[in-house]
Amino acid sequence: MAISVNRKYVPTQTPPRARSGGWGAVAALTLCVATLIASEFLPVSILSPIAADLRLTEGAAGQAISVSGLLAVLTSLAITPLTRGLDRRILLLALAALMLVSGAMVALAPTYAILMAGRALLGIVIGGFWSMSAVTVMRLLPEDQVPKGLAMLNGGNALATTIAAPLGSFLGQYIGWRGAFFLVVPLAAITFIWLWRSLPGMPSPRDARAANGLALLRRAEARIGMCAVALLFMGQFALFTYLRPFLEGVTQLSVSLLSLVLLLMGGTGLLGTWLIGRAISQSLAATLIVAPLLMAAIAVGLVALGTKPLPTAALLAGWGLIGTAVPVAWWTWLSRTLPDDAEAGGGLMVAAVQLAITVGAAGGGLLFDAAGHRASFLASAVLLCGSALLGAISRRRASPSFS
């Protein structure tokens, strides 16, 4: 899951700070982030080999992303009340161990059911970790160093998002899709050992009050914004999940060229995360409206020009430039629209994003199997236009700081 942390964090209760830990533990958490994000989106680049090996359709194989997103949503909403009173060190170590088990299950999966079970475990890890990431950094570092710690986590997120797809495609042609997934196992083992050595005890009081993110949906501006975010990610993943079969079957690219195109898309994504700050400083509202409209235009362009390699590569470079960066704009919207409820709003947005990824990947897969890439890509364009429309409505209802 690609999510920015450049937002104001306002805890319901200020957590007690740990006596030790510090930057070593934050570095271990960053490795955990990178491994999680790479694992989440690795199927995108090796969807076709997975489908061929397990005798599935590409749409069915794409549900491996959907199931992890669904479990991430459920976990993010449930983990705080279910684990109240449990030392956060123990919980994070358990999640790291679960990530290792998930990687092994997926890499060795003899059947579709085992593959999906392994991906479901990954979803639990994703939802649990992201629910605790910011507050864990707050307990590990002095207050004046917390922004740098959150930035480090976001760096691991961005790096993994950039390299997961091209690296998976490249490795898949030499060691197979199972070998590519099995690389998660040693990374998870290193993460576990590093966390075990660096994390201090972080008790969680049983009477701690948990923020209620769902209560924010009583506010109209929150409902509109969350729906806009959901449509954005639905549209993005209805297309993004099925790029590998599209580039192989429609654009007719070799695996090497396909990997190069995905790497180009990742590189422009990194550039986009640097440029988005300038766009937001000019006009946040315009960014939230124009960005999804440009992505919708790219989706339509891929339908029209998808058989031509160079225009397709150029369009996907534009998709990476915009799609990787636009979530930063929505986190900025959150900090300006819900400044006093940033923690609760942030948890709600994580759930909305994961649910949208699940629905977008699942719906896109059904359309891809039933009617081909045109149906799923045009559906993506419609969803992205819906996000732009809700962004415009949100602008009309917002305070002057939103513009």
Side-chain angles (χ1 to χ4, degrees):
M1 180 183 72
I3 299 178
S4 169
V5 294
N6 293 329
R7 68 185 195 276
K8 182 180 178 182
Y9 184 86
V10 183
T12 304
Q13 285 186 330
T14 301
R17 300 205 175 259
R19 294 182 179 179
S20 60
W23 284 104
V26 174
L29 292 172
T30 302
L31 176 60
C32 187
V33 168
T35 306
L36 276 176
I37 297 301
S39 300
E40 184 176 12
F41 299 125
L42 196 58
V44 170
S45 61
I46 48 180
L47 206 61
S48 298
I50 293 173
D53 188 23
L54 296 179
R55 299 180 180 178
L56 307 169
T57 66
E58 279 88 358
Q63 306 311 315
I65 292 180
S66 303
V67 71
S68 61
L70 176 60
L71 266 294
V73 171
L74 297 176
T75 304
S76 66
L77 294 175
I79 194 168
T80 298
L82 289 179
T83 62
R84 188 171 299 152
L86 180 64
D87 190 307
R88 268 32 196 166
R89 178 180 188 271
I90 295 174
L91 184 54
L92 286 168
L93 288 172
L95 290 172
L98 206 60
M99 179 168 60
L100 188 154
V101 173
S102 167
M105 286 181 66
V106 172
L108 303 175
T111 64
Y112 182 53
I114 299 298
L115 174 75
M116 295 296 279
R119 294 291 296 180
L121 290 181
L122 179 68
I124 293 173
V125 181
I126 292 169
F129 177 82
W130 281 115
S131 297
M132 297 186 298
S133 58
V135 72
T136 300
V137 172
M138 292 180 67
R139 296 181 69 169
L140 290 171
L141 299 177
E143 186 174 355
D144 62 337
Q145 295 181 18
V146 168
K148 293 181 180 178
L150 293 175
M152 179 182 285
L153 287 186
N154 194 48
N157 184 353
L159 178 62
T161 303
T162 299
I163 68 173
L167 184 61
S169 178
F170 176 77
L171 292 175
Q173 63 181 321
Y174 293 107
I175 60 176
W177 71 269
R178 294 181 184 275
F181 269 112
F182 196 80
L183 291 178
V184 172
V185 175
L187 287 174
I190 293 171
T191 298
F192 179 88
I193 294 171
W194 198 351
L195 288 173
W196 178 70
R197 293 180 61 87
S198 61
L199 277 178
M202 294 183 288
S204 174
R206 291 188 179 275
D207 59 350
R209 180 171 62 91
N212 185 1
L214 294 176
L216 293 176
L217 293 178
R218 298 192 185 103
R219 299 168 58 173
E221 63 270 29
R223 290 197 303 272
I224 295 170
M226 294 301 169
C227 286
V229 171
L231 289 178
L232 173 71
F233 278 88
M234 281 184 204
Q236 189 169 3
F237 280 83
L239 186 151
F240 176 70
T241 308
Y242 303 98
L243 281 180
R244 168 84 185 236
F246 166 74
L247 292 173
E248 285 184 330
V250 178
T251 315
Q252 300 288 315
L253 295 184
S254 66
V255 174
S256 297
L257 287 176
L258 185 151
S259 300
L260 184 62
V261 170
L262 292 176
L263 183 62
L264 174 65
M265 189 168 64
T268 57
L270 283 179
L271 177 62
T273 58
W274 178 70
L275 295 175
I276 191 70
R278 298 185 179 185
I280 291 172
S281 65
Q282 293 294 320
S283 174
L284 173 60
T287 302
L288 296 178
I289 297 168
V290 174
L293 288 177
L294 290 175
M295 294 174 69
I298 291 171
V300 174
L302 289 172
V303 172
L305 303 172
T307 58
K308 301 177 181 179
L310 288 179
T312 296
L315 287 169
L316 289 178
W319 180 274
L321 180 74
I322 302 167
T324 305
V326 70
V328 177
W330 276 109
W331 284 111
T332 305
W333 166 87
L334 180 73
S335 69
R336 296 183 184 180
T337 306
L338 305 170
D340 297 325
D341 297 291
E343 180 182 10
L348 182 61
M349 188 174 287
V350 169
V353 167
Q354 289 293 339
L355 182 60
I357 290 173
T358 301
V359 174
L366 293 174
L367 289 172
F368 195 93
D369 283 345
H373 74 282
R374 290 183 177 85
S376 56
F377 285 18
L378 290 176
S380 169
V382 171
L383 291 167
L384 290 165
C385 287
S387 177
L389 176 61
L390 289 179
I393 295 173
S394 183
R395 178 186 185 182
R396 292 175 63 88
R397 301 182 65 95
S399 63
S401 64
F402 176 69
S403 58

